[in-house]
Amino acid sequence: MRRIVAVVLAVFLIGGVAAAVVAGREGQDKSTATKTVRGVIGSEKAEFFSDPDVVKALAAKGYTVETETSGSWAMEGLDLKGYDFAFPGSQAPAEELAKKYGVRQPLPRPFYSPLVVVAHRNAAEVLAANGLATVGKGNGTLKMTAYLKAAQANRTWQQLKGADRYGELTGTLFVSTTDPTSSNSGALYLAAASYVAAGGRVAADTSAVDETAPLMRKLISVQGAQQTSSDAAFRDFVSGVGNPLVLVYESQVASLLMRGQSVDDLTVLYPDTTANSDHTVVPLTEEGRSLGELLNADKELRKLAVRHGFRPQDASAEFTAATAAHTTYLNQKLTGVRQAPVPASKVLHEMARQARG
């Protein structure tokens, strides 16, 4: 009888251990389980979402995020069925997507970045010598009114005092941008330039677009073939290819600096009138909305966004602290920079269409 009782107890003990192991595994699976969320993003955020630390932080909150890149304005022409979110580079294309897919407001806006012009040092100094910019050690200000007058007059580098010392400064003076019909940064460039050209008035309708259209067309046509991605344009600049003046996001510069990459020849020109790129999530499912709100609120993800050069909404101290070692190149407080209002999406589309001819 004692042997029978011992065998029964052993069976119960083994069964209990096995149940505990299974329960432990189930609990472990639940703690690390993630839901896959698919999205289309602007190329300037590709490095953020592929960062192993970002992947890890999202997984800790229960998310695996799969992304594909697209020009922000080109997203409107995509079939987003089966995706959980779109993440263009500003509010205007995001609002258009929200209307198209019946997305409820508000749309999460986790972070933003002002547009800047990156310049090689020689080019920046020539601009300053001719009253088109003010330049410090590593950053400065592009005087938009003076620059647009030079563009209107078809000024060349050879006509600028001091440019003859630098063989690479030849041809028409212009800022390289992305294609405004498909890319957010190119469209925002037109928004800021048209605002300045119109004497501080934001274009409200087609007639207002018509007024500045000849100058906007000149700004774009002189560039020839344009990139569809600010990421590609910035990589070309860093590698020394192409035009000496290139419009990019400040976040791309800040990210480069925080990675410790050498930027000896770089000068960052903040246009005295620019447009901020409000990176805006368009949730197409509830999972997509939860992800957007998480990017907005989670301290670790905000910290990682700053590491990639983005400015979190309503949290300037986070960006200021993280970039304290790079004030030679970055205008942390955007001193002397005016924010241009962005026209309604329909108006901006028309402006880009006319500018492309």
Side-chain angles (χ1 to χ4, degrees):
M1 179 61 71
R2 281 198 297 270
R3 285 181 181 174
I4 292 171
V5 171
V7 169
V8 170
L9 285 172
V11 169
F12 275 116
L13 284 170
I14 292 169
V17 171
V21 170
V22 170
R25 285 177 178 166
E26 286 179 349
Q28 187 179 36
D29 289 344
K30 285 179 182 176
S31 67
T32 59
T34 60
K35 45 182 170 280
T36 299
V37 182
R38 297 179 65 217
V40 180
I41 63 172
S43 62
E44 70 286 337
K45 293 181 284 288
E47 286 189 0
F48 171 75
F49 280 104
S50 64
D51 183 336
D53 290 336
V54 173
V55 173
K56 183 178 177 182
L58 287 168
K61 297 295 183 178
Y63 292 92
T64 296
V65 180
E66 296 179 354
T67 61
E68 299 171 23
T69 60
S70 167
S72 293
W73 286 100
M75 289 181 192
E76 193 177 334
L78 300 178
D79 180 4
L80 297 180
K81 185 178 180 180
Y83 290 90
D84 296 288
F85 70 98
F87 202 173
S90 71
Q91 244 180 313
E95 294 292 348
E96 284 301 296
L97 286 168
K99 289 178 188 175
K100 180 177 179 179
Y101 291 95
V103 176
R104 65 180 170 86
Q105 298 284 350
L107 305 180
R109 290 188 294 131
F111 40 73
Y112 71 99
S113 184
L115 289 170
V116 299
V117 174
V118 287
H120 296 298
R121 186 67 189 176
N122 292 340
E125 290 178 348
V126 169
L127 292 178
N130 288 270
L132 300 175
T134 58
V135 175
K137 186 176 179 182
N139 74 48
T141 301
L142 179 66
K143 297 180 179 180
M144 284 293 286
T145 298
Y147 165 70
L148 292 178
K149 285 181 179 178
Q152 182 71 64
N154 299 313
R155 295 283 293 278
T156 65
W157 283 104
Q158 291 94 320
Q159 293 172 327
L160 299 183
K161 179 176 59 179
D164 57 341
R165 290 178 295 178
Y166 309 110
E168 71 275 17
L169 299 181
T170 60
T172 305
L173 171 69
F174 66 90
V175 173
S176 288
T177 73
T178 54
D179 182 349
T181 62
S182 62
S183 173
N184 179 64
S185 58
L188 291 181
Y189 173 68
L190 292 182
S194 66
Y195 180 76
V196 174
R201 288 183 293 110
V202 61
D205 51 32
T206 302
S207 62
V209 171
D210 293 342
E211 288 179 21
T212 60
L215 176 56
M216 299 304 104
R217 194 173 300 119
K218 187 170 286 190
L219 295 176
I220 299 303
S221 63
V222 71
Q223 299 182 43
Q226 291 178 289
Q227 299 271 20
T228 58
S229 157
S230 61
D231 187 47
F234 186 56
R235 285 200 307 269
D236 284 350
F237 176 84
V238 171
S239 64
V241 177
N243 196 46
L245 303 173
V246 181
L247 185 84
V248 300
Y249 295 107
E250 180 199 55
S251 58
Q252 292 167 303
V253 179
S255 176
L256 188 79
L257 293 169
M258 286 188 276
R259 292 200 304 269
Q261 188 163 333
S262 175
V263 290
D264 292 341
D265 188 40
L266 174 71
T267 299
V268 184
L269 298 176
Y270 287 77
D272 56 15
T273 301
T274 191
N276 283 347
S277 177
D278 288 306
H279 297 274
T280 306
V281 178
V282 183
L284 303 171
T285 65
E286 283 307 309
E287 288 80 6
R289 181 169 293 277
S290 296
L291 175 66
E293 291 171 351
L294 181 68
L295 292 171
N296 219 14
D298 185 78
K299 286 186 68 173
E300 180 62 20
L301 287 167
R302 287 166 68 92
K303 179 180 176 182
L304 290 168
V306 169
R307 193 169 81 184
H308 284 269
F310 298 109
R311 295 175 180 249
Q313 296 286 355
D314 304 317
S316 59
E318 294 179 43
F319 182 84
T320 301
T323 59
H326 306 295
T327 54
T328 298
Y329 299 98
L330 300 177
N331 182 348
Q332 290 181 312
K333 296 182 179 179
L334 300 179
T335 304
V337 176
R338 180 172 56 162
Q339 170 69 16
V342 178
S345 177
K346 184 179 179 180
V347 175
L348 195 53
H349 265 303
E350 177 62 17
M351 188 180 293
R353 187 191 67 77
Q354 290 200 35
R356 286 289 291 168

